[in-house]
Amino acid sequence: MSKPFAGVKVLDFTRVLAGPYGSYQLALLGADVIKVESREGDDMRYGNRANDWEKRGLAAPWVAVNAGKRSITLDLKKPAAIEAVKRLVARVDVVMENFRPGVMDKLGIGYDVLKAINPRLIYCAVSGFGQVGPDRETAAFDGMIQAMSGLMSITGFPTNGPTRVGFAGADVMSGATAALGVASALYQRTHTGKGQLVDVAMIDAVMGYLAQQFTEHMMTGRVHEQAANLSVTRKPTGDLYKTRDGWIVLAVMTEPQFQRLMKDIGRADALADPRFPDWPTRIQNNKALHAIIEAELVKETSATWAERFARADVPAGRVLTIPETVQLDHFDRRTILQTVDTPHGPIRVVGSGFKLEHGGGSVDRPPATLGQHPDEVLGEAGYPPAEIAELRAAWVV
């Protein structure tokens, strides 16, 4: 079954996380992604834990967003490497990079140069603040963008100060936005025949995910605060609760759900409490309602409550560790966790976060070692074997 991006070729100069996450999404869906690295390799290849995978240049954080890509090394300081890029660009659909704006131009392979070679080229540039604007040349990193985008100001507990989310959220949001931008440009090209620049600013990408908070502020003037573990609705039954052996999150948002919750925990009497007749008063008396609910939940385990709430149609979820989540039966019938064979043994990776009925996402080749595919990649660009050998001898590839 053909995948959505079968036949699409991507020349991928991205490194670390934001850009590689975006190109990985395209690779999962069938694009032939050629990862261009320096001779030293992407910084993420070698990690900082010194395990066997990292010593091979296959650190797990790198594999997580680069499996399924082909790898070629190029010393972009050498004219022969720049010439190789130009020859490759004539035969690809997409170029992706996440250097500071202007770096590719200084190398002689910026958007204007490459689109003259291939007018159908889609050129995706991921940077902290975009290709235009007063901060365009400012280097950006995940934590910096989490701070500047407002994300940290609404995360965590007020007593602890602004808090980063528990993963590289700005990087991943930017990568996902880049993949959507490239997919949009590819579709548009089907009826215009034209390539274009896809300009992804990390701070814009994160703002796109905070649309509710920004729009409410601009419409009403509200300044959103840290909500600890409360739902964005601020309803007290959308919160974290202790159980006998751990934690559970309630997601009780409607009146029928609230009534089922109180009956199932044995506190139907609280439905007649004058402090809790409706959502405004429940929010006003949040601490009292939370205490009543938690006093019951601590009597049983998280698993027991999860089973009871599922039967009663009360939305709730146990707080699981990553090892516990991986073991869920859910994944036996899904495709997001995939096993990939490598010369060093099988590994499991995370694939597309959605399923397609026809030709969905999958990792179809093991993660590449550094510079594994120059012969085939350059051969496809028209280089004869003798010329590739010369490039190797000159340390260009």
Side-chain angles (χ1 to χ4, degrees), residues 35 48 64 84-85 88 94 104-105 119 122 154 159 167 179 210 242 265 294 296-297 303 322 324 338 367 372 382:
K35 186 173 180 67
N48 54 19
V85 170
L88 287 165
V94 180
M104 292 286 276
D105 293 314
I122 291 158
I154 61 173
T159 53
F167 68 108
L210 301 180
K242 291 181 181 178
I265 66 172
E294 192 162 86
E296 301 304 320
L297 296 188
I322 288 175
E324 289 171 332
Q338 300 178 14
Q372 183 177 343

Side-chain angles (χ1 to χ4, degrees), residues 11 13 76 82 85 95-111 113-114 123 125:
L11 194 60
F13 294 90
L76 297 177
I82 299 303
V85 170
V95 163
M96 298 184 72
E97 53 100 342
N98 61 345
F99 298 108
R100 289 196 208 190
V103 169
M104 292 286 276
D105 293 314
K106 291 176 183 177
L107 291 170
I109 47 176
Y111 174 56
V113 171
L114 299 186
Y123 184 107

Side-chain angles (χ1 to χ4, degrees), residues 110-315:
Y111 174 56
D112 289 337
V113 171
L114 299 186
K115 75 174 181 180
I117 297 171
N118 181 355
R120 289 174 54 83
L121 180 70
I122 291 158
Y123 184 107
C124 177
V126 181
S127 63
F129 302 95
Q131 301 301 300
V132 296
D135 299 318
R136 64 184 294 270
E137 295 185 3
T138 302
F141 299 90
D142 175 81
M144 175 181 172
I145 297 299
Q146 286 199 37
M148 295 181 67
S149 66
L151 178 59
M152 287 177 62
S153 75
I154 61 173
T155 305
F157 291 79
T159 53
N160 295 338
T163 305
R164 291 172 69 154
V165 298
F167 68 108
D171 278 338
V172 171
M173 294 176 202
S174 300
T177 300
L180 176 60
V182 170
S184 300
L186 283 168
Y187 179 74
Q188 191 173 44
R189 192 180 70 175
T190 64
H191 52 87
T192 66
K194 297 179 181 179
Q196 61 181 297
L197 173 67
V198 179
D199 178 4
V200 179
M202 293 175 67
I203 196 166
D204 295 357
V206 176
M207 184 180 290
Y209 282 84
L210 301 180
Q212 288 183 313
Q213 289 77 15
F214 275 96
T215 301
E216 186 174 13
H217 169 68
M218 293 183 290
M219 288 180 64
T220 70
R222 177 184 172 188
V223 178
H224 290 74
E225 65 284 343
Q226 291 169 283
N229 288 300
L230 268 176
S231 159
V232 295
T233 66
R234 300 303 188 264
K235 292 179 177 179
T237 49
D239 203 354
L240 178 72
Y241 288 83
K242 291 181 181 178
T243 65
R244 193 170 77 190
D245 65 344
W247 302 89
I248 196 166
V249 170
L250 297 182
V252 172
M253 298 291 128
T254 69
E255 190 61 32
Q257 290 171 353
F258 179 72
Q259 294 188 22
R260 291 196 296 270
L261 166 67
M262 302 312 292
K263 291 174 182 176
D264 200 59
I265 66 172
R267 289 305 306 268
D269 60 294
L271 296 172
D273 192 309
R275 295 173 296 176
F276 316 129
D278 52 30
W279 290 114
T281 56
R282 292 166 197 159
I283 293 172
Q284 184 178 353
N285 295 291
N286 183 337
K287 290 184 179 180
L289 181 57
H290 193 287
I292 289 171
I293 296 171
E294 192 162 86
E296 301 304 320
L297 296 188
V298 295
K299 297 176 182 178
E300 299 288 353
T301 66
S302 296
T304 298
W305 284 118
E307 292 175 4
R308 285 183 55 171
F309 288 154
R311 291 194 298 269
D313 195 18
V314 173

